[in-house]
Amino acid sequence: MAKSIQEYVDSLYNQGLNNANNLKEQRTQADEAFIKQVQDAIDKSTASAAKPYQTQIEQLPSQYQKLYDTNAVQELVNRRQVQETMANMGLTDSGLNRTQQTAIAIQRGNADAAARLEQQQKTQELQDKIAQLMESGAAQKQQQEAAIRNDSANWYNNLLGDMYNNAVNMGYNQYNTDVAREDENKRWAEQLRQNELDRQAQLDAAKEQ
């Protein structure tokens, strides 16, 4: 007796499934290699874009050191001017002299503090730009990986769909072929049986004569 159409379909589909899974494994390995290449390229591009900002960060200390040096020189100039003025006035050891010297020290401290704050702000701005580049790069890597894996998932689903459709078509053909063969075998068997009955009837008739 012929199998059901679904049994034919399932059998054919399962035969192709092993090959499909092998193809899927090969594609997965290829995807992993491709994803790494893409992510390495994104990392390289991100690092290249961030390098100018990193270079500026590294140069800031020396740039602002010049400003600190200028502040120190200005402090010395101011102290000398006050000392000379106080000396000319005979107030070298006076409270006024000490007040002026204190004011100069405070002025120097304020100038250095302003420079430090400006350096910190510029450093933070540059670090923020680098962080934005890194975040953008990370997002690109995730998007590219998701796109690659999604493409392969769609490919595999389409492959399984095509396999099933083929299995259905082939299953129907095999079912019809087997049913036709069984019908043909039944006809031959019936013909043989009928021939034997006719032969036996002829023998019986000959005996009676």
Side-chain angles (χ1 to χ4, degrees), residues 91-119:
L91 299 174
T92 300
D93 194 32
S94 66
L96 178 59
N97 183 34
R98 286 190 290 273
T99 299
Q100 293 290 332
Q101 295 295 339
T102 300
I104 291 172
I106 292 174
Q107 184 182 27
R108 162 72 186 283
N110 290 339
D112 285 351
R116 280 193 297 272
L117 178 59
E118 183 178 310
Q119 180 182 354

Side-chain angles (χ1 to χ4, degrees), residues 40 67 70 202:
D40 288 346
L67 185 55
T70 298
Q202 291 174 356

Side-chain angles (χ1 to χ4, degrees), residues 100-173:
Q100 293 290 332
Q101 295 295 339
T102 300
I104 291 172
I106 292 174
Q107 184 182 27
R108 162 72 186 283
N110 290 339
D112 285 351
R116 280 193 297 272
L117 178 59
E118 183 178 310
Q119 180 182 354
Q120 291 170 357
Q121 290 174 339
K122 287 188 175 181
T123 299
Q124 188 61 54
E125 289 175 1
L126 293 169
Q127 289 176 337
D128 289 344
K129 290 180 179 179
I130 292 175
Q132 290 173 0
L133 287 172
M134 295 300 180
E135 290 175 1
S136 176
Q140 288 181 43
K141 290 197 291 185
Q142 290 180 349
Q143 292 170 359
Q144 290 295 326
E145 179 178 357
I148 293 170
R149 296 192 187 283
N150 186 61
D151 184 58
S152 288
N154 290 335
W155 164 83
Y156 184 64
N157 289 333
N158 290 335
L159 177 63
L160 294 182
D162 291 341
M163 279 177 47
Y164 189 80
N165 291 334
N166 291 335
V168 169
N169 292 331
M170 293 177 64
Y172 269 101
N173 291 336

Side-chain angles (χ1 to χ4, degrees), residues 3-4 8 15 18 28 34 39 46 48 62 68 77 85 88-89 118 121 123 126 128 137-138 160 167 171 181:
K3 298 182 293 186
S4 69
Y8 281 100
Q15 288 175 19
N18 185 56
T28 298
F34 184 52
Q39 292 185 340
T46 301
S48 178
S62 61
Y68 297 138
V77 171
T85 299
N88 292 335
M89 296 174 62
E118 183 178 310
Q121 290 174 339
T123 299
L126 293 169
D128 289 344
L160 294 182
R181 184 183 296 112

